[in-house]
Amino acid sequence: MVDVGSNSVRLVVFDGAARSPAYFYNEKIMCALGAGMAETGHLSPVGRVRALSAMRRFSKLAQSMGLSELTVVATAAVRDASDGRDFCDEVQRETGLKIWVIDGEEEARLSAQGVLLGWPGAYGLVCDIGGSSMELAEISGGRVGKRVTSALGPLKLRDIKGGAKARQAQIKTVIEGLAEKMGAQRDRLFLVGGSWRAIARIDMVRRGYPLHVLHEYRMTPTSVRETVKHIQSSDHEELRKISGVSASRMAFGALRRRSPIAAGQDVQTQGYRDFQLRHPRGDAVRADAAAPT
């Protein structure tokens, strides 16, 4: 499966069909397709080049693995961009891969379904933050309930004119609208997506957590607030080394005064292991840059 997101394009190959399938290959390439969309309305030209290169690479990898099928799904950046359809057509011409563009509510449902596959008894609210959107979905009794989507993604927030005050005003307005649609939420909060994983990594370092496993890592509301304060007062470059992204300080710093996390909620992250390619010489090759094809 390939996930074409606003920040990255990821290939995950699963080891057969199961309720919670294991995977044996996982590669992510940072493309930033959604960068600058708030101003231009179309995909980043540089991001398109990188994403197309990534798709060529993934297509060849799938062929070499003998995969019978490769499902490709695109989310906020491609569905919102004026040239999203053109990009999908280009990918299909170049690689033969058809991209399925899903809407925000379907993205929310799939994120929530992923949590239920990992934890069948999970209940509460799933929050998935990608590059250009944030989805919320209720889960209870093994089913997905109400779900909504919004434009609260780091790339979208970064492009808002007017600085921190404008971002905070936008976040406040959107959060209030989401709260009205979803109603009061007092159960567990499950965090999905790269921005949340970045916050979890920073929280681990701040607390001196002895393990480096993000999957099922838990944070209390107090811990989240303290980590946000730590982000705001820390060196930006050091945070990038820890978290692996540069958007976390901006996006979550803006959420500081309007935290959607209610007192008493148990916060749990759903993480994925980032894959590192191994060169025949034994060198580790970072999988965050599109390799030439």
Side-chain angles (χ1 to χ4, degrees), residues 42 163 211 284 286:
H42 56 254
L211 301 178
R286 287 183 62 83

Side-chain angles (χ1 to χ4, degrees), residues 133-181:
S133 67
M134 181 183 81
E135 281 71 43
L136 300 175
E138 288 181 342
I139 50 175
S140 179
R143 295 181 178 275
V144 181
K146 289 188 293 185
R147 51 194 186 272
V148 293
T149 185
S150 71
L152 290 185
L155 291 176
K156 287 284 184 69
L157 292 174
R158 185 186 66 184
D159 293 336
I160 292 177
K161 296 180 180 180
K165 289 185 178 180
R167 285 195 294 268
Q168 289 177 6
Q170 174 68 6
I171 290 170
K172 177 182 178 181
T173 299
V174 175
I175 289 292
E176 288 176 348
L178 294 175
E180 184 176 345
K181 291 179 181 178

Side-chain angles (χ1 to χ4, degrees), residues 3 12 21 40 68 77 109 113 150 185 283:
D3 177 7
V12 181
T40 66
S68 59
R109 186 190 71 81
Q113 193 63 49
S150 71
Q185 301 290 328
D283 301 327

Side-chain angles (χ1 to χ4, degrees), residues 68-88:
S68 59
E69 184 178 3
L70 190 60
T71 301
V72 184
V73 175
T75 51
V78 176
R79 71 170 173 254
D80 294 342
S82 60
D83 57 344
R85 173 49 54 192
D86 179 67
F87 171 71
C88 293

Side-chain angles (χ1 to χ4, degrees), residues 7 28 44-45 73 76 80 91-92 98 104 111 118 175 201 211 215 217 225 264 277:
N7 262 326
K28 178 176 67 175
S44 162
V73 175
D80 294 342
V91 169
Q92 189 163 16
K98 179 179 176 58
S111 294
I175 289 292
R201 289 191 186 99
L211 301 178
H215 193 66
Y217 180 70
R225 286 192 289 269
L277 298 178

Side-chain angles (χ1 to χ4, degrees), residues 7-8 10 28 30 127-131 154 191-201 214 243-245 247-248 252 270-272 274:
N7 262 326
S8 65
R10 182 190 290 266
K28 178 176 67 175
M30 302 305 294
C127 177
D128 181 359
I129 295 184
L191 309 178
V192 181
S195 294
W196 285 123
R197 292 197 294 275
I199 295 297
R201 289 191 186 99
L214 284 172
S243 66
V245 300
S248 58
F252 290 91
Q270 181 186 42
Y272 296 93
D274 289 340

